[in-house]
Amino acid sequence: MSRIHGTFARVAGAALVSSLLVAMPASPGGAADARFNAGLWDDDLDTRWQAHVMSAAASQVGYEAFEDLDGRTSDGSFKDGRGSAVFGMFTHASSGLMKTQWQSGQPDQWIYSGCPDCTHPSMRMLSEYRPLLDVDDVRLAIFAGCYTSLVPSWGYSLPEVAAARGMDSTIAFPGLVYSPVSTSERPMSETRYSGNYFWERAATYLKNGAAVADAMKWATSDLLAKEGDAGGWDEYQIDGSIASPGQMTLTPERGGRLGTSDLLWDANLATDEDWVDWAVAFAEDRVDFANALIDILLENTPTAAGLVAGPGGSEYLVVGTAEQVTYRFDENGRLVDLSSSPTAQGDPTYSVAEAAEIATQFAMEHAAGFDQTWPRSDRVLHHIEGENLARFTWRPRTHGIPVGRTVLIEVDLRTGDIGHYIDAQARSSSAPAALEGVVTEGQAIKTAREAAGAGGELVSADLEHWVQTRWLVTLDYTEPTVVDVPASGGGTVQEKVEIPRFVQVEIDALTGDVQALSGT
Amino acid sequence: MSRKGLSMQRKRRFAALMGLVVALGVFATSSPSPAAAGASLLEVDDLVQLSVAGEDELRVVIPDSADLATVDIVDRRTAEVIGSAQPGGEIDVPTVMGTAVIDLVEQGGAAPRLLARASASISQTGSNLPSAAVVVTEQSTFLAWASVPSVGEWRILDGANDVLATTQSNAVTLPFTLSSVPNQIQLVGDGNIDEVLTRLVRGFAVEQHEDSGVGTASTDPATLTTTMLKYETYIPDEYADAIDTGLGIDCESGDGSDYSYGGDNRGLEYDTLKYRTLATTHHHWEEKTSSIQSFVNPTDRYIHHDDGSYEYESSRTADVGGVKVSTGPNNGFDSSGTIDHSVGNPYCSDWNTIDYDQGHTLWATGSYIVRGKHDRMPRHQVYLKYRGTDFPPLELVFHHELTDPKCLNPVYAQVYCPQWEYEYTK
């Protein structure tokens, strides 16, 4: 079978992306550095896999990648950021600060964002980086922790300082984000869920040439399909000093200094004839994709296509179109998700109610079996500064409990276009036959407290079905923490900082066994 | 008792029972004695003689006949001048764990001239590795080692395991090339080469980069900010058969014929997530901190159908507690680490664990000693990642080929594939 290969080009805004693929910053070894810090934290929050997979991905596309999985001194973290092209911290956090290290009997170490005229001899702040000098070569900075995109009462947010100092693209989170809760004896291989799985998937896509915004969308889609819940990671916010930080890629140009990788597109397609030729050749080996190949041509103008590694060893067909929409289909030809680039400027022209109608109509056309009477939750959010999106999430119910499917649609309130569509289905989506015999809510809460420890305040206890019928019990162990933070004009001030510590316990509703613990 | 303790005790007991097999002479070796003081290691005509001065001391002699001015002996690990000698003079060089890595730099000209780089190791008690030395000059690489009983042949290999030379003597001289740097001296047993390969290995990683190579004395020693050692074990195939020893100590299926196990489907790669186990020590020289990590990937079990296809059946993960990693103090200049590894297929008897022990000492100047022993299954790969000025980002220390899955069985291994002992110095 002959496959059409072409040079890498992002369908939407190809010229722009090309301009972003600037020469990599030089380092002594000839390639750029990538540094990732994580740990098994004092409350057993285990973010190590996140840094490990990102480091491996960066290394495989040519960066000199290092990961510190046992925390890092604040000095060390600060230096890591200064010397890197890709920098990631996966840790406990709050607005304006991220924990870099904890040691029993020692004060925790932090990296701070900064504040007006902040100076302190021992505190490390992003604002200490010299503008457009120290971190101007940072292509991507990841602040993977709770509330990292928020502005603290005492200073600036992490992303705004990072952008002001020259970091091209940053990823941060406005709410709680969950990661596995592990123990020192537990192998990381058993913590490939929740946030660890999110970053494992994001690393796969970034390694294969996806833009940051696409990688976040697709990792959200994968985590949602695996677990039925995106653990707060779906609310990622992308910022940065360049015009389109969401279009930043980890990979260099094909044949660039950092070496080549499996880039996203196998084919660039100038005409419908090109598409037909490519699709015919492609379908020879992958008949299951045939319907998707036909549908995409009937409704769109495909301009690029390729295969990406889906979750669980599967393959997804990814198609970019002239309409600047990217589609992904699974091996059964089902549309898994769709994404486009929403607008970032202008007044909204659609109300949330109108957007809901658009989303509902879209779901009815594309999500087989969709029923608009499914319970729906709504919210307004943005992923990139300036976006104005309405998100609608449906989950069907059986016997009164949510069951294994989630349809998520984000609508651009300016244009009415679909910004993101996910049809997530559990691996085994059969609904429970009945709810007889499931453990009671009281039993589930008792089990959760035993697993997570005493003292937590009950937040919620939800019975639902995703692969199996389960209780999700969430407990809040957050205690206000007094932290020395930098003060405007110099010195420090003590602030009562909320470092969120929620624990969610997943319990098999039939056996009462604890399946997993995740926390913030 | 720990899992490893139990495993090792069983192994020893069973090994004792099976000692009869060994006593019958299927395979027998005798260990070399520690090198005697004064024993010559290597002599490079008109340039340098290396010999053992004491149990842990190396003697460097500049021959009378050498047409040289004063020669500085520089410890490459510390970048410090140990002493100077003129032709006819000698200097005793202290070793670290029986090893020394030195530069011979001639003074007196317009600029210091790097004459040679030398590395020597003195055989240690309890080790089967013979004393050995290597001297690299602008034109040639000289290697020599102490004799070992029952040796059929020696092989000299480069870092890619390509054979550069074979010899039955105890020394060899190779032309200098940048593309194939002698890296290993392997002993080939005098039995069937295919069955008993490379039981003893002495390795040398000799730095011969064009821009800092022999002939130019480096005045500013390169220093690192970070060194990371990664030790991976991996199965190169996509699927691996169960161990089937016939000794009743194999996998759950009884005879191993029902299942296959997922391998890592890779070759020599770096920073991949495809491994059975990974142990790391990470040393930050500026901050004088070191940290450790250990990883065990799940083992997937497959039903191997008659038509050749594989059907996923289940997955288990071995206890990561079988990988014990520790580091010594980091003074910003040198640090050390040890790895004690006993992890096996979680579907199989813990008789058949992958066992290895390794110790390493690393310097901020980029020098290292890496030594240990490992089972000859699966592949073992150790590499160093550097961050610092004028350093390559990555250096392969070794990549040892597997012999046979049965080598995980201690009884089989004792007879056919004893643990691979190695030492690499730079």
Side-chain angles (χ1 to χ4, degrees):
Chain A
M1 165 183 163
S2 65
R3 294 280 297 275
I4 300 169
H5 292 278
T7 54
F8 171 65
R10 180 83 166 83
V11 175
L16 174 62
V17 175
S18 298
S19 71
L20 296 178
L21 295 171
V22 294
M24 298 302 299
S27 78
D33 277 358
R35 307 295 294 243
F36 304 93
N37 302 336
L40 176 58
W41 302 96
D42 45 347
D43 56 358
D44 292 333
L45 188 76
D46 191 347
T47 59
R48 293 173 296 172
W49 188 252
Q50 299 169 23
H52 189 48
V53 293
M54 282 300 300
S55 181
S59 177
Q60 284 164 33
V61 295
Y63 291 84
E64 293 174 16
F66 289 87
E67 74 246 39
D68 276 282
L69 305 184
D70 194 20
R72 188 87 163 94
T73 62
S74 57
D75 270 339
S77 291
F78 183 80
K79 287 175 188 167
D80 286 350
R82 185 167 55 200
S84 304
V86 183
F87 175 54
M89 299 174 69
F90 304 85
T91 177
H92 280 299
S94 193
S95 53
L97 51 85
M98 300 192 80
K99 188 183 287 190
T100 66
Q101 193 169 59
W102 72 276
Q103 287 182 315
S104 184
Q106 301 285 323
D108 290 338
Q109 299 206 30
W110 304 87
I111 283 275
Y112 303 88
S113 50
C115 52
D117 303 319
C118 279
T119 56
H120 194 276
S122 61
M123 286 182 159
R124 294 282 73 89
M125 295 168 271
L126 299 186
S127 57
E128 291 179 82
Y129 293 131
R130 292 169 292 179
L132 305 178
L133 193 62
D134 284 341
V135 292
D136 194 42
D137 290 335
V138 174
R139 291 163 66 90
L140 174 64
I142 300 168
F143 304 118
C146 298
Y147 303 152
T148 49
S149 68
L150 302 185
V151 179
S153 60
W154 49 268
Y156 306 121
S157 75
L158 292 158
E160 72 180 308
V161 178
R165 291 296 181 264
M167 294 186 181
D168 293 346
S169 181
T170 65
I171 303 171
F173 298 87
L176 301 175
V177 285
Y178 281 83
S179 293
V181 173
S182 183
T183 69
S184 58
E185 297 301 316
R186 192 171 184 189
M188 272 196 292
S189 52
E190 293 180 12
T191 65
R192 296 178 184 178
Y193 61 95
S194 193
N196 285 3
Y197 186 72
F198 178 84
W199 287 106
E200 180 179 313
R201 298 306 306 156
T204 298
Y205 296 127
L206 289 167
K207 180 182 69 178
N208 287 319
V212 166
D214 285 336
M216 292 294 100
K217 284 176 177 171
W218 296 347
T220 295
S221 176
D222 293 351
L223 180 56
L224 207 50
K226 182 171 189 281
E227 301 185 356
D229 185 280
W233 299 102
D234 53 318
E235 298 192 12
Y236 61 88
Q237 291 186 353
I238 300 169
D239 207 323
S241 63
I242 61 174
S244 298
Q247 300 307 315
M248 175 56 74
T249 58
L250 195 65
T251 50
E253 288 178 286
R254 188 183 292 267
R257 290 180 56 204
L258 293 181
T260 59
S261 66
D262 300 323
L263 295 175
L264 195 57
W265 308 113
D266 291 335
N268 287 304
L269 310 157
T271 65
D272 286 353
E273 287 71 30
D274 289 342
W275 170 257
V276 171
D277 288 346
W278 182 85
V280 168
F282 180 82
E284 271 183 6
D285 285 348
R286 297 178 175 84
V287 175
D288 291 340
F289 285 114
N291 287 336
L293 294 167
I294 295 168
D295 288 348
I296 202 78
L297 181 59
L298 292 177
E299 297 186 11
N300 301 277
T301 311
T303 52
L307 278 176
V308 293
S314 64
E315 288 180 320
Y316 281 170
L317 169 65
V318 54
V319 180
T321 68
E323 294 80 12
Q324 301 196 357
V325 179
T326 304
Y327 298 82
R328 294 200 308 163
F329 301 90
D330 69 12
E331 288 161 329
N332 297 318
R334 185 178 68 88
L335 178 62
V336 174
D337 52 39
L338 164 163
S339 54
S340 68
S341 299
T343 56
Q345 288 183 330
D347 296 326
T349 54
Y350 292 85
S351 66
V352 173
E354 289 169 329
E357 285 182 29
I358 294 170
T360 303
Q361 185 63 34
F362 188 88
M364 292 178 67
E365 291 172 4
H366 292 86
F370 175 81
D371 184 335
Q372 60 181 313
T373 65
W374 289 351
R376 188 188 83 202
S377 60
D378 306 352
R379 62 168 306 184
V380 174
L381 78 170
H382 74 272
H383 296 297
I384 296 173
E385 186 66 30
E387 287 181 348
N388 193 356
L389 305 171
R391 173 190 283 184
F392 308 97
T393 309
W394 290 267
R395 278 195 72 178
R397 286 175 179 259
T398 301
H399 306 303
I401 66 168
V403 294
R405 188 171 180 187
T406 295
V407 175
L408 180 153
I409 297 179
E410 293 174 355
V411 178
D412 185 338
L413 291 174
R414 297 191 183 95
T415 63
D417 291 342
I418 306 297
H420 195 195
Y421 161 82
I422 299 173
D423 182 3
Q425 298 185 12
R427 180 166 35 85
S428 167
S429 56
S430 60
L435 295 181
E436 289 148 11
V438 301
V439 299
T440 65
E441 180 175 341
Q443 287 172 317
I445 293 169
K446 181 171 180 286
T447 300
R449 288 192 186 284
E450 287 171 357
E457 183 180 333
L458 179 67
V459 177
S460 60
D462 300 318
L463 181 63
E464 63 161 46
H465 184 89
W466 197 274
V467 182
Q468 63 180 11
T469 307
R470 64 185 184 182
W471 280 101
L472 295 176
V473 180
T474 305
L475 301 162
D476 182 2
Y477 294 85
T478 306
E479 292 181 359
T481 305
V482 176
V483 177
D484 286 335
V485 299
S488 289
T492 67
V493 62
Q494 289 197 324
E495 279 282 323
K496 196 177 281 184
V497 173
E498 191 174 284
I499 309 296
R501 192 184 164 221
F502 289 71
V503 176
Q504 186 176 75
V505 185
E506 181 182 337
I507 298 165
D508 185 325
L510 296 177
T511 66
D513 294 339
V514 174
Q515 300 297 299
L517 273 72
S518 52
T520 64
Chain B
M1 178 178 284
S2 69
R3 178 187 164 149
K4 173 164 184 180
L6 182 64
S7 168
M8 292 306 291
Q9 187 188 58
R10 284 179 181 166
K11 286 180 177 178
R12 290 192 188 105
R13 192 178 300 155
F14 200 82
L17 290 173
M18 295 303 292
L20 180 63
V21 176
V22 180
L24 291 175
V26 177
F27 185 86
T29 61
S30 59
S31 299
S33 303
S40 176
L41 289 176
L42 179 59
E43 180 171 343
V44 176
D45 290 343
D46 295 339
L47 181 60
V48 64
Q49 294 171 357
L50 302 176
S51 59
V52 178
E55 195 167 314
D56 275 321
E57 204 160 49
L58 183 72
R59 177 158 299 157
V60 179
V61 178
I62 308 299
D64 248 341
S65 55
D67 182 19
L68 297 169
T70 301
V71 176
D72 286 347
I73 309 300
V74 181
D75 185 335
R76 281 186 57 76
R77 292 160 174 160
T78 63
E80 292 175 353
V81 177
I82 299 169
S84 302
Q86 293 183 327
E90 63 184 38
I91 291 173
D92 287 347
V93 174
T95 65
V96 177
M97 296 163 63
T99 70
V101 186
I102 55 174
D103 280 352
L104 279 67
V105 180
E106 184 185 26
Q107 302 290 353
R113 187 166 72 99
L114 181 59
L115 301 171
R117 288 184 165 160
S119 172
S121 295
I122 301 169
S123 184
Q124 301 292 290
T125 303
S127 168
N128 285 319
L129 299 175
S131 297
V134 57
V135 173
V136 182
T137 70
E138 206 166 353
Q139 291 81 30
S140 304
T141 300
F142 303 86
L143 303 107
W145 51 93
S147 63
V148 173
S150 305
V151 173
E153 189 174 77
W154 296 91
R155 289 176 177 173
I156 313 301
L157 297 93
D158 63 13
N161 292 331
D162 290 333
V163 177
L164 302 178
T166 58
T167 178
Q168 294 182 342
S169 70
N170 283 51
V172 68
T173 300
L174 300 169
F176 173 90
T177 66
L178 281 171
S179 58
S180 55
V181 178
N183 179 270
Q184 303 172 34
I185 304 171
Q186 291 191 346
L187 181 153
V188 179
D190 55 0
N192 184 332
I193 289 177
D194 290 335
E195 291 295 328
V196 186
L197 196 69
T198 62
R199 179 159 175 267
L200 307 180
V201 173
R202 169 80 70 184
F204 296 92
V206 182
E207 194 174 316
Q208 290 184 314
H209 300 295
E210 271 180 298
D211 54 355
S212 61
V214 173
T216 307
S218 172
T219 52
D220 294 320
T223 54
L224 294 161
T225 58
T226 300
T227 305
M228 190 176 192
L229 181 140
K230 302 183 83 168
Y231 192 135
E232 296 178 4
T233 63
Y234 75 91
I235 297 171
D237 298 326
E238 188 172 4
Y239 303 98
D241 285 337
I243 300 163
D244 184 8
T245 63
L247 297 172
I249 47 174
D250 40 28
C251 303
E252 279 181 9
S253 57
D255 62 3
S257 60
D258 298 326
Y259 295 108
S260 288
Y261 300 90
D264 300 299
N265 195 25
R266 55 166 276 204
L268 174 61
E269 294 179 21
Y270 302 93
D271 287 336
T272 169
L273 300 174
K274 296 182 286 187
Y275 49 74
R276 294 297 84 213
T277 63
L278 168 62
T280 69
T281 67
H282 199 166
H283 309 268
H284 294 291
W285 302 113
E286 289 178 335
E287 294 139 43
K288 301 180 181 179
T289 60
S290 296
S291 61
I292 60 169
Q293 279 301 328
S294 54
F295 307 77
V296 175
N297 264 333
T299 297
D300 295 331
R301 186 162 75 172
Y302 296 86
I303 299 168
H304 192 178
H305 293 294
D306 291 341
D307 64 2
S309 64
Y310 293 87
E311 179 186 349
Y312 172 80
E313 189 264 343
S314 63
S315 180
R316 292 181 193 170
T317 304
D319 183 2
V320 74
V323 189
K324 295 179 175 61
V325 191
S326 64
T327 54
N330 181 338
N331 59 15
F333 180 70
D334 60 57
S335 185
S336 62
T338 63
I339 309 170
D340 178 1
H341 183 286
S342 181
V343 177
N345 183 328
Y347 291 96
C348 301
S349 162
D350 63 4
W351 280 86
N352 302 323
T353 52
I354 302 165
D355 292 317
Y356 73 76
D357 292 287
Q358 200 228 54
H360 52 265
T361 300
L362 310 173
W363 281 265
T365 52
S367 288
Y368 58 77
I369 304 170
V370 177
R371 59 163 55 145
K373 296 179 181 180
H374 65 72
D375 286 350
R376 289 164 59 169
M377 180 68 196
R379 282 185 182 164
H380 293 247
Q381 178 184 344
V382 170
Y383 55 102
L384 293 162
K385 299 182 68 176
Y386 298 123
R387 194 178 194 220
T389 306
D390 296 332
F391 266 85
L394 189 141
E395 178 177 341
L396 177 67
V397 177
F398 68 76
H399 180 233
H400 288 169
E401 186 56 76
L402 62 83
T403 299
D404 188 321
K406 293 194 284 292
C407 295
L408 294 177
N409 182 300
V411 177
Y412 184 92
Q414 185 166 345
V415 177
Y416 295 107
C417 40
Q419 280 201 319
W420 188 322
E421 183 177 1
Y422 60 86
E423 177 186 279
Y424 293 84
T425 59
K426 176 182 163 188

